Amino acid sequence: MQTTIDCAVITARYQAVERNDGETTVLELWCRCKDGRSAVILINGINPWIEIASPGICENPEELPHDILAKLQRVLDDSDVISVDEEGIKWTDMGEKKHWRVGVRQPFVVRSLRDRLQKEGWVLSASDIVYQHRFFHIRDLGTHVSIRGDILFEKEGIDGKECVIEDDFSALTKIKTAGGSGIYPVDIIVSANYDDCNQCEPFQAPWTVFSFDLETSILHDTVLCAAATIENWSTGERTTYSFNGKEEDILIGLTDLVRENDPDIITGYNIDNFDLTRLSERCEVLSGKRRWRRQAELFGWGRVDILENESKRRRDGLLPKRGNTRAWSIAGRCVMDAWWQARMTLRPKRETLKFVSNLLFPDNIELQKMDIDSSKMDEEWATRPEEVLKYCERDAELPLSILRSIQAVRRKEAIAAVAKTSLDVAANGVTSQLLDSLAIRYADANDIAVPMTHNVRRTSHIEGGYVHDVEAGIHPWITVLDFKSMYPSIMIGNNICFTTRIDPIHPDQPLKDETIHTSPTGVTFHNSQHRKGMVPALLEHLMGLRDTHKEAMKEARIQGDEALVAFHDQMQYAVKIMMNSFYGVFASVFYRFTHKDLGASITAWARHNIKTIIQKLEDEGNHVVYSDTDSIFVCAPISKEISPTKPKKGKELKTWNSAKKELIRFGNELAERFSQDEAVLEFEKGLSVFFSHGAKKRYVGRIIYPEEDMIVRGYETQRSDSFDALTNNMQNMFEMILEGRSENAVKSVVDLIKAAKRNEIPIEQLILSKTCKGVLLKNGEVDFSKHYANPDSMASVRAAKKRMERNLPFTPGMKVGFIVTNGKVSPMEVEPWDEGQENGGIAKYDGDFYAERLATALGRITEAFEWSSKELLAGNRQANLFSF
DNA sequence: ACCAGTTCCTAC
DNA sequence: TAAGGTAGGAACTGGT
């Protein structure tokens, strides 16, 4: 029976199928349909291939070596090659060349075939493209696809009716014939040809998300109990389950729950490093090495049938596996760790579940009660198991609330939609994969050979953006100008691309009198009439796409459709993220579609543009106070008499308002005057005051246009490794400085430092927190030496070691909070902060140490008002040369 | 008091 | 055997 389904692709995998009539490769797509069902779609018709061409510079693609036929025959004779066909003429960096498409037996033989063909003297292209990704390239598909195919299996009773599964045997026969591996535990299994897959308008898929948490024994490493919450986005329902009893029953219970509820996304807090690792270990212990059925029963979370070959797969199989990569791989599902997502989005000062939850849900009273001492979990479990179980249930549910609150899933979904990849690539993939997705399909459509990823180690750095020296002190009336999408617009404006770089050895040279783009480094590029670059074309498309979504967002707002507003906002933001990642990837040494001169040219143009403008401004008497990469801070020509502090009322306010008006006029005038073609300078902000103590990348300002606000950059208030007593006070100080009350600022600092010396500052305001890396070893210990030259010289490592000694959780890569208890010795003594205990379980901090640090950090700022850190510490000002 | 080296985290 | 970039400030260690 035929059907057409609209669905979002979660992940893809392939099956190597051997049939009587030969071998084929079948693509498996795991999807969530628009109507809420889960699906596996088996796609036939895409066979793996690579492309080959003759080596050397090619002036005329029709001129072929005399023995080309014999050479091609030798390729065809290779046992892994099933066909050799002419592919057509494609652009390469050695000229336009005739290419041949070499059909390959299976994707997994490509690696060895590549070596053989290279030895034979062929130049390879399109030969390290992941097979599954071809599906998206060939028909220009993305995350959301509309597929017409044959139903092989259908679970009935979706709407809560009893599930009646059709005759499994006949379904299995049909699935096997279509190339599937077994009865996938999903609602519908469909077979289709890739010709029957089409683009579908992006939609927000009704995912099912599974979140879980374990409580484990410290003494025996066993699982004591577990809880899981399933969130169904179709119905909005959340259901929580808990498991205790025999360890194997807990694992089996979790596994059954996963298989029954069929989630697309697996989450939890720090599951990457802890819970999944622990389950995997316990599964091995409880099952013995070779008992795959037992393993499947205990940890068969993969969205595949329970089969021996599925349990043996090293990735995308029945059993979750990590391998060498950061992300876990489970067939058909996407692992999204709430810890990692929260860390990236919120950059919290500390990273425990409790801390992040309190940050996001300060009013949730559930978070305040139920304190289980996890360092004494065995004792807690023995004495009050019910409370532990409740606590576990809460910690299973919180990750769902966190993901929802930071919109992690919808953001990743939007990135996937813009980059046209499956959800898992957007969630767990690397930036170059996102770009590859767009670039490879463009290259294919425009006859550009796809080079291989460059296998080189980085040897040298390219020069980056220009940062102007900042003048210490208070500067009134500042206009901030910004280049709009600086690097992308330079790439578009100068047609920068590896396909347009003019290389003297390349047969395609500019015609006489033809204009070319010459970068300040001397690298030249064809103009876009001669040859439009791939990168500029992609970027222009993305710019247009962003405008489309912004327009649609406005329209949706008028219609009052908030869900649609949110959707287009996610989409336009995803486009922005994508555009901004272009430069980084193209400036990297390994990326396939780049050349080392490209990144250096982009930044050279950027430096040239901004320095030219700064020079012109200075020449005409408009002082530039600061500039960083794409922004310029200019003194507006407003009388020194007019105080930047906004008066409450009266004539002063009128004067102030006219100054503001002049600031805006000046900003707009500069923006217009200095914008040139693609290099658009925008008047972004007007500041009534700008302050810096004189260090680059550190400043504050009071914004009065377009809206009244405050901006702080670089200072300790922005840093997640600073402590609250410092950041809170510095924030106050900035506010006072910007209001023109610097004397008050100094006074409160002096008081604070006195309090520190007397140990009167509450200890929870003094927690320092830094990331601590390490490699988790099989025996549970952590090896710090891989990441640190001298691990014990690092305060965070010493704190982490103490945590482990005390059975407090520590996972490499997380921040470790600590208090300095003695700063008079080197290295200083620190105590880890124990979230579960009053005052972090620490008796006394080193007040002098904190007084010193406060004085140093705040002194840098007060120094601008002639209060040095020494004077702050002393609490009074010494008469000195500069006081008079 | 000052140095170089290491590390973290941020601005763009 | 993994893979967006550079510029920059600051804290700390372990020396002199």
Side-chain angles (χ1 to χ4, degrees):
Chain A
M1 200 176 71
Q2 280 232 325
T3 185
T4 299
I5 54 175
D6 287 358
C7 57
V9 182
I10 300 149
T11 179
R13 191 184 80 166
Y14 73 85
Q15 286 286 331
V17 181
E18 292 208 37
R19 295 200 181 111
N20 295 337
D21 56 343
E23 285 186 71
T24 69
T25 313
V26 174
L27 179 70
E28 301 157 289
L29 296 179
W30 280 268
C31 309
R32 181 58 66 176
C33 304
K34 212 170 180 175
D35 63 19
R37 291 181 298 172
S38 62
V40 165
I41 297 155
L42 303 169
I43 309 279
N44 279 268
I46 308 171
N47 290 312
W49 79 89
I50 62 177
E51 289 165 21
I52 57 172
S54 290
I57 294 164
C58 182
E59 300 276 351
N60 176 2
E62 296 301 336
E63 258 177 43
L64 298 167
H66 65 281
D67 58 344
I68 188 74
L69 289 176
K71 280 184 169 161
L72 290 169
Q73 185 59 46
R74 275 212 296 282
V75 175
L76 190 56
D77 289 342
D78 190 293
S79 59
D80 285 335
V81 172
I82 52 172
S83 62
V84 177
D85 298 297
E86 203 170 306
E87 172 78 8
I89 294 163
K90 295 198 173 196
W91 185 95
T92 78
D93 58 358
M94 305 284 259
E96 304 223 326
K97 287 184 186 178
K98 187 164 270 185
H99 282 69
W100 288 268
R101 179 186 286 219
V102 178
V104 179
R105 191 165 63 79
Q106 292 295 354
F108 56 78
V109 305
V110 165
R111 184 184 290 242
S112 60
L113 177 63
R114 226 159 41 197
D115 294 343
R116 293 198 292 279
L117 292 176
Q118 261 163 346
K119 270 192 200 123
E120 290 271 318
W122 293 100
V123 174
L124 307 186
S125 54
S127 44
D128 59 356
I129 300 172
V130 177
Y131 171 81
Q132 299 89 295
H133 297 174
R134 293 273 197 203
F135 169 76
F136 298 100
H137 304 157
I138 298 173
R139 290 180 62 82
D140 194 14
L141 303 173
T143 324
H144 304 95
V145 280
S146 184
I147 297 173
R148 189 161 53 88
D150 293 314
I151 299 173
L152 308 175
F153 169 91
E154 198 169 12
K155 218 186 211 177
E156 289 176 46
I158 288 302
D159 305 321
K161 287 179 231 155
E162 197 182 339
C163 280
V164 184
I165 296 174
E166 74 161 288
D167 173 5
D168 277 3
F169 185 73
S170 83
L172 187 58
T173 312
K174 282 195 262 178
I175 293 165
K176 289 249 161 138
T177 310
S181 70
I183 299 185
Y184 304 86
V186 292
D187 296 325
I188 181 168
I189 303 170
V190 174
S191 166
N193 192 283
Y194 81 91
D195 292 328
D196 294 322
C197 304
N198 290 294
Q199 287 187 42
C200 154
E201 275 298 302
F203 60 89
Q204 298 196 315
W207 308 114
T208 298
V209 189
F210 177 93
S211 173
F212 75 106
D213 183 45
L214 307 176
E215 300 307 335
T216 59
S217 160
I218 290 155
L219 299 176
H220 310 104
D221 286 344
T222 53
V223 178
L224 300 172
C225 66
T229 306
I230 290 131
E231 191 174 65
N232 182 328
W233 291 25
S234 287
T235 59
E237 278 171 28
R238 262 190 205 178
T239 321
T240 299
Y241 303 83
S242 59
F243 303 92
N244 61 53
K246 276 168 69 182
E247 188 180 27
E248 56 190 75
D249 292 337
I250 297 172
L251 265 66
I252 291 168
L254 277 173
T255 305
D256 287 348
L257 200 63
V258 169
R259 297 190 74 83
E260 276 162 27
N261 287 278
D262 193 24
D264 310 303
I265 295 161
I266 307 268
T267 190
Y269 204 80
N270 199 22
I271 54 170
D272 275 352
N273 289 320
F274 184 75
D275 303 69
L276 285 172
T277 313
R278 181 56 56 88
L279 283 179
S280 187
E281 282 165 11
R282 294 313 297 164
C283 170
E284 212 168 291
V285 171
L286 291 170
S287 64
K289 273 258 147 85
R290 298 173 57 116
R291 300 173 58 200
W292 73 268
R293 262 186 201 287
R294 183 72 173 145
Q295 286 181 325
E297 195 180 22
L298 292 164
F299 199 32
W301 288 21
R303 222 171 194 172
V304 287
D305 209 345
I306 296 179
L307 299 166
E308 185 166 12
N309 57 355
E310 289 289 5
S311 77
K312 280 185 176 161
R313 284 185 77 121
R314 282 211 289 210
R315 61 184 329 281
D316 302 321
L318 179 60
L319 300 166
K321 290 268 160 67
R322 174 126 83 158
N324 299 329
T325 52
R326 187 177 60 80
W328 281 78
S329 136
I330 308 178
R333 309 191 205 277
C334 176
V335 177
M336 213 184 266
D337 193 322
W339 160 63
W340 189 251
Q341 299 302 324
R343 167 184 240 241
M344 293 319 236
T345 320
L346 304 169
R347 292 193 298 114
K349 274 194 175 158
R350 279 175 279 152
E351 294 175 352
T352 59
L353 176 56
K354 190 175 175 179
F355 187 84
V356 170
S357 304
N358 274 319
L359 198 68
L360 290 171
F361 320 113
D363 302 327
N364 186 341
I365 39 167
E366 289 296 309
L367 295 173
Q368 313 310 325
K369 47 189 187 185
M370 277 198 295
D371 256 331
I372 298 291
D373 185 349
S374 56
S375 66
K376 299 192 180 94
M377 189 47 81
D378 296 86
E379 216 177 297
E380 297 274 28
W381 180 243
T383 53
R384 41 177 195 152
E386 276 174 26
E387 281 95 329
V388 173
L389 216 51
K390 274 258 169 348
Y391 168 85
C392 186
E393 284 175 13
R394 186 194 69 183
D395 288 0
E397 195 173 348
L398 277 171
L400 292 171
S401 304
I402 292 171
L403 288 189
R404 173 143 303 217
S405 171
I406 60 178
Q407 289 284 298
V409 178
R410 290 299 185 214
R411 275 177 209 237
K412 295 295 179 191
E413 201 178 349
I415 300 257
V418 173
K420 303 187 179 183
T421 66
S422 50
L423 178 72
D424 67 331
V425 171
N428 297 319
V430 292
T431 319
S432 53
Q433 283 179 309
L434 300 177
L435 257 63
D436 259 355
S437 174
L438 296 180
I440 291 172
R441 71 186 75 200
Y442 182 98
D444 285 348
N446 292 279
D447 298 322
I448 298 162
V450 178
M452 300 233 284
T453 296
H454 308 157
N455 191 4
V456 284
R457 278 193 187 287
R458 184 165 62 203
T459 48
S460 62
H461 279 263
I462 60 167
E463 197 178 338
Y466 169 71
V467 190
H468 198 64
D469 271 327
V470 56
E471 244 173 78
I474 292 178
H475 304 273
W477 306 111
I478 299 292
T479 291
V480 186
L481 304 165
D482 262 52
F483 277 106
K484 185 182 177 187
S485 307
M486 188 187 224
Y487 289 167
S489 65
I490 287 174
M491 289 190 249
I492 294 170
N494 297 292
N495 203 32
I496 300 175
C497 183
F498 88 116
T499 61
T500 57
R501 187 180 60 90
I502 302 170
D503 190 325
I505 66 155
H506 199 282
D508 181 22
Q509 293 294 320
L511 305 171
K512 222 177 152 214
D513 301 332
E514 197 173 47
T515 56
I516 53 170
H517 302 279
T518 307
S519 88
T521 54
V523 180
T524 51
F525 297 90
H526 289 294
N527 72 52
S528 59
Q529 283 80 43
H530 184 106
R531 185 180 175 88
K532 178 80 188 175
M534 172 176 97
V535 177
L538 289 171
L539 283 169
E540 277 174 10
H541 168 73
L542 288 173
M543 278 192 167
L545 186 62
R546 183 155 186 229
D547 290 341
T548 310
H549 285 295
K550 280 184 159 177
E551 278 303 309
M553 198 166 106
K554 269 188 202 158
E555 183 58 33
R557 188 159 283 146
I558 293 166
Q559 304 294 329
D561 187 342
E562 283 309 311
L564 199 60
V565 172
F567 168 71
H568 287 296
D569 194 27
Q570 304 275 18
M571 290 295 282
Q572 70 84 15
Y573 186 68
V575 176
K576 183 184 167 179
I577 301 267
M578 278 297 287
M579 285 179 63
N580 287 340
S581 33
F582 267 70
Y583 158 73
V585 174
F586 282 87
S588 73
V589 287
F590 61 85
Y591 190 53
R592 59 172 88 242
F593 292 114
T594 192
H595 180 275
K596 65 177 176 57
D597 290 349
L598 267 57
S601 298
I602 296 164
T603 56
W605 252 304
R607 290 191 302 277
H608 175 261
N609 291 353
I610 206 140
K611 282 182 182 172
T612 308
I613 293 177
I614 292 171
Q615 189 60 52
K616 278 186 188 160
L617 282 165
E618 291 284 2
D619 287 349
E620 59 190 47
N622 290 308
H623 185 45
V624 173
V625 176
Y626 181 54
S627 162
D628 185 349
T629 311
D630 63 352
S631 65
I632 310 178
F633 293 63
V634 195
C635 260
I638 290 167
S639 162
K640 290 265 187 297
E641 306 297 310
I642 304 173
S643 162
T645 308
K646 189 178 180 180
K648 286 264 179 338
K649 57 186 175 184
K651 204 173 131 207
E652 287 83 7
L653 181 60
K654 235 179 179 177
T655 317
W656 189 88
N657 272 325
S658 66
K660 177 182 169 183
K661 211 177 236 175
E662 171 57 17
L663 181 70
I664 296 165
R665 188 207 60 76
F666 180 66
N668 284 322
E669 184 225 300
L670 290 186
E672 195 178 331
R673 197 146 54 85
F674 288 103
S675 289
Q676 229 177 9
D677 306 318
E678 298 295 330
V680 177
L681 201 60
E682 289 181 316
F683 170 45
E684 204 206 305
K685 285 189 280 282
L687 310 179
S688 58
V689 208
F690 169 93
F691 169 84
S692 172
H693 73 278
K696 291 171 175 178
K697 296 187 186 280
R698 295 196 159 209
Y699 62 87
V700 297
R702 173 158 306 285
I703 305 172
I704 54 168
Y705 174 86
E707 277 175 2
E708 296 206 358
D709 200 358
M710 185 172 158
I711 181 171
V712 187
R713 292 285 181 261
Y715 280 115
E716 283 79 350
T717 53
Q718 310 308 106
R719 293 184 66 95
S720 60
D721 56 358
S722 194
F723 54 104
D724 288 348
L726 174 56
T727 54
N728 292 345
N729 204 267
M730 195 178 271
Q731 183 73 25
N732 284 339
M733 199 155 119
F734 287 147
E735 281 164 21
M736 285 191 243
I737 291 171
L738 296 177
E739 283 166 25
R741 300 189 287 128
S742 47
E743 278 307 311
N744 300 42
V746 173
K747 190 187 175 309
S748 72
V749 173
V750 170
D751 291 344
L752 182 76
I753 289 168
K754 273 184 195 154
K757 280 188 189 164
R758 295 180 193 143
N759 279 55
E760 282 167 1
I761 297 179
I763 193 166
E764 68 270 14
Q765 290 183 25
L766 301 175
I767 307 164
L768 292 163
S769 181
K770 285 197 180 200
T771 299
C772 183
K773 296 174 190 163
V775 180
L776 189 63
L777 303 175
K778 278 264 174 203
N779 62 9
E781 286 174 29
V782 176
D783 178 8
F784 294 100
S785 63
K786 289 264 191 305
H787 291 92
Y788 298 108
N790 183 7
D792 288 319
S793 77
M794 306 291 298
S796 58
V797 171
R798 296 196 299 276
K801 285 185 172 175
K802 284 194 178 175
R803 279 189 78 88
M804 286 189 286
E805 279 166 22
R806 294 169 203 179
N807 292 326
L808 291 166
F810 166 71
T811 35
M814 265 185 131
K815 280 179 179 292
V816 179
F818 58 89
I819 293 280
V820 176
T821 50
N822 183 3
K824 291 163 192 71
V825 294
S826 178
M828 62 192 186
E829 286 166 15
V830 297
E831 281 296 316
W833 180 263
D834 180 358
E835 210 82 41
Q837 291 197 54
E838 187 131 357
N839 291 334
I842 299 161
K844 195 164 180 255
Y845 60 85
D846 182 345
D848 291 335
F849 166 81
Y850 284 101
E852 289 272 359
R853 259 199 77 168
L854 287 164
T856 315
L858 299 170
R860 271 194 288 273
I861 297 162
T862 54
E863 201 132 15
F865 312 104
E866 294 170 28
W867 273 77
S868 69
S869 60
K870 270 188 183 158
E871 288 161 340
L872 287 177
L873 272 171
N876 59 23
R877 245 166 128 176
Q878 304 296 317
N880 62 38
L881 268 179
F882 305 103
S883 307
F884 301 99

